Amino acid sequence: MLTLNRTTQIVPPAGEPALEVDGLVKSYGKVVAVRGIGFLVPKGQVVGLLGPNGAGKSSTIKVCLGLTLPTRGIVRVFGSAPTTVEARRRMGYSPETPYFYPFLTAEEILTFYAGLQGIKSVRTSVDQVLRATGLEAARRRKVGHFSKGMVQRLAVAQSLLGDPEILFLDEPSSGLDPEGRLEMRQIIQGLKRSGKTILVSSHILSDIEAICDRVIVIDAGRIVADRLLDGEMPALEVEVEVRALSDEALAALRRMGWSVHYDEPRLSVLNLQPGQEPRLLALLAEHHAQVYQLERKKATLEDIYMEIMRQGGQEK
Ligand SMILES: Nc1ncnc2c1ncn2[C@@H]1O[C@H](COP(=O)(O)OP(=O)(O)OP(=O)(O)O)[C@@H](O)[C@H]1O
Ligand SMILES: [Mg+2]
């Protein structure tokens, strides 16, 4: 079961963090893509980077990789600047829109990149990454004949060359069919089990929910939520079938600190603490609302993401 633990602080890791981002600002001329972002990622954590198009996810990832320099702020990968050889050796990257030369085979491409990276045991390394991404059977096929899902897997395979400890996967599942998405999910879960630290951006919230230990939501260049995903604390959403609900009644519910949406006859109430259902029913009765049914729902990441974006929108 998923809940977003709203009270848990993201505790700074005891040892050296895998990734440290502090006060990061990134501008492209007049466009400010990232407006002061900070977070720490402990080793082995899998972090989902969420946010609408243009929020600044890819810009953040590229600065973390040292592909582009920050306008302000600091990034450290295992304690080193991302542009250093020590940091580069430990990072892997799968870009948003991977491109590979279409006349080469998967094996040729990976062998080429392994050579560029100065990897000693090229053959073993290429075999390993092909296996990890389920591309062994397609290793001698030209990439021009690959499906989109296979190209995405090849990009992840490339990111794994040299066995890096931290992976930056920018929308690895974008444009994939349900089967391809499932395969990608399984690949990332395998990498997680092998102890990799992963930063993965995606718009597919159910995938993020299945894969990640934590989500960071970015909107307009700022972090609007940074939360652990864990199954211990119940985050309750209650759905009530209710008619004749007045604006005063809705206001009374909101004063309780609950997040309330009413589309007659469906009333959904988020942020309800366990045991508060009788209070909700009492308030509805006080306002002469007609209650037909009450159902507890597990909040999905999608519900919570929408809620975060609504709150972010109100703050702006
Ligand atoms: N090289 C660039 N030059 C100018 N502006 C850029 C450049 N790269 C990104 N931007 C702008 O920076 C902002 C953030 O873009 P970014 O690609 O980081 O967002 P994103 O969260 O990855 O979005 P998406 O979900 O669409 O991939 C956008 O307004 C974008 O137009
Ligand atoms: Mg992007």
Side-chain angles (χ1 to χ4, degrees), residues 18-90:
L19 176 67
E20 201 179 335
V21 177
D22 190 15
L24 179 66
V25 175
K26 177 67 194 174
S27 307
Y28 303 99
K30 285 187 183 147
V31 179
V32 189
V34 179
R35 298 168 181 265
I37 277 183
F39 59 90
L40 290 175
V41 181
K43 286 177 194 163
Q45 193 171 63
V46 180
V47 181
L49 213 52
L50 307 180
N53 291 129
K57 304 179 295 294
S58 297
S59 300
T60 302
I61 289 175
K62 283 179 195 157
V63 177
C64 289
L65 285 155
L67 293 177
T68 175
L69 292 174
T71 307
R72 274 206 307 278
I74 290 171
V75 175
R76 286 198 196 88
V77 180
F78 298 106
S80 304
T83 44
T84 59
V85 177
E86 306 89 83
R88 290 238 153 113
R89 232 177 359 95
R90 299 169 84 171

Side-chain angles (χ1 to χ4, degrees), residues 69 78 161 189 193 200 204 230 235 239 272 281 302 314:
L69 292 174
F78 298 106
L161 286 170
Q189 279 165 332
R193 275 195 299 278
V200 52
I204 304 161
D230 66 34
E239 202 170 291
L272 203 77
L281 286 172
E302 188 159 341
Q314 278 161 18

Side-chain angles (χ1 to χ4, degrees), residues 57-58 96 170-171:
K57 304 179 295 294
S58 297
E96 207 166 9
D170 199 353
E171 296 197 37

Side-chain angles (χ1 to χ4, degrees), residues 23-299:
L24 179 66
V25 175
K26 177 67 194 174
S27 307
Y28 303 99
K30 285 187 183 147
V31 179
V32 189
V34 179
R35 298 168 181 265
I37 277 183
F39 59 90
L40 290 175
V41 181
K43 286 177 194 163
Q45 193 171 63
V46 180
V47 181
L49 213 52
L50 307 180
N53 291 129
K57 304 179 295 294
S58 297
S59 300
T60 302
I61 289 175
K62 283 179 195 157
V63 177
C64 289
L65 285 155
L67 293 177
T68 175
L69 292 174
T71 307
R72 274 206 307 278
I74 290 171
V75 175
R76 286 198 196 88
V77 180
F78 298 106
S80 304
T83 44
T84 59
V85 177
E86 306 89 83
R88 290 238 153 113
R89 232 177 359 95
R90 299 169 84 171
M91 295 191 279
Y93 173 46
S94 159
E96 207 166 9
T97 41
Y99 174 81
F100 297 104
Y101 191 64
F103 300 107
L104 294 181
T105 65
E107 191 171 16
E108 285 165 343
I109 286 169
L110 293 170
T111 304
F112 170 74
Y113 283 113
L116 268 190
Q117 281 182 234
I119 291 167
K120 289 195 189 85
S121 46
V122 170
R123 175 91 205 176
T124 318
S125 193
V126 168
D127 284 350
Q128 254 166 14
V129 302
L130 284 168
R131 203 175 318 118
T133 51
L135 282 174
E136 291 145 301
R139 62 192 297 155
R140 294 203 175 86
R141 275 169 66 184
K142 288 197 171 60
V143 171
H145 299 154
F146 269 22
S147 69
K148 192 162 169 43
M150 290 162 82
V151 172
Q152 296 278 40
R153 278 191 273 158
L154 182 57
V156 175
Q158 190 200 331
S159 79
L160 294 174
L161 286 170
D163 199 19
E165 290 153 77
I166 181 164
L167 296 168
F168 295 87
L169 310 177
D170 199 353
E171 296 197 37
S173 303
S174 90
L176 302 193
D177 63 20
E179 202 185 338
R181 274 175 40 198
L182 180 65
E183 282 165 4
M184 185 57 76
R185 219 157 101 168
Q186 287 165 343
I187 290 167
I188 299 173
Q189 279 165 332
L191 296 171
K192 176 182 178 171
R193 275 195 299 278
S194 70
K196 305 270 184 223
T197 307
I198 305 175
L199 211 77
V200 52
S201 78
S202 180
H203 293 290
I204 304 161
L205 300 178
S206 53
D207 283 355
I208 291 292
E209 186 174 330
I211 296 168
C212 295
D213 303 312
R214 169 184 174 190
V215 292
I216 295 179
V217 185
I218 300 181
D219 187 22
R222 289 197 175 87
I223 292 182
V224 291
D226 182 349
R227 305 199 179 150
L228 294 175
L229 298 177
D230 66 34
E232 283 159 29
M233 272 201 29
L236 216 54
E237 185 186 358
V238 168
E239 202 170 291
V240 192
E241 189 185 332
V242 53
R243 292 180 195 274
L245 191 58
S246 63
D247 288 345
E248 294 78 52
L250 281 171
L253 301 182
R254 292 202 174 102
R255 278 198 296 278
M256 291 293 294
W258 300 328
S259 186
V260 175
H261 303 284
Y262 186 46
D263 185 8
E264 187 161 8
R266 203 183 134 221
L267 168 74
S268 64
V269 185
L270 220 80
N271 302 346
L272 203 77
Q273 296 307 308
Q276 282 190 319
E277 292 90 337
R279 185 81 193 108
L280 170 64
L281 286 172
L283 275 171
L284 292 173
E286 267 171 43
H287 288 86
H288 310 291
Q290 300 157 14
V291 177
Y292 290 84
Q293 197 176 321
L294 182 145
E295 188 189 352
R296 289 158 181 249
K297 273 178 52 183
K298 269 188 241 164

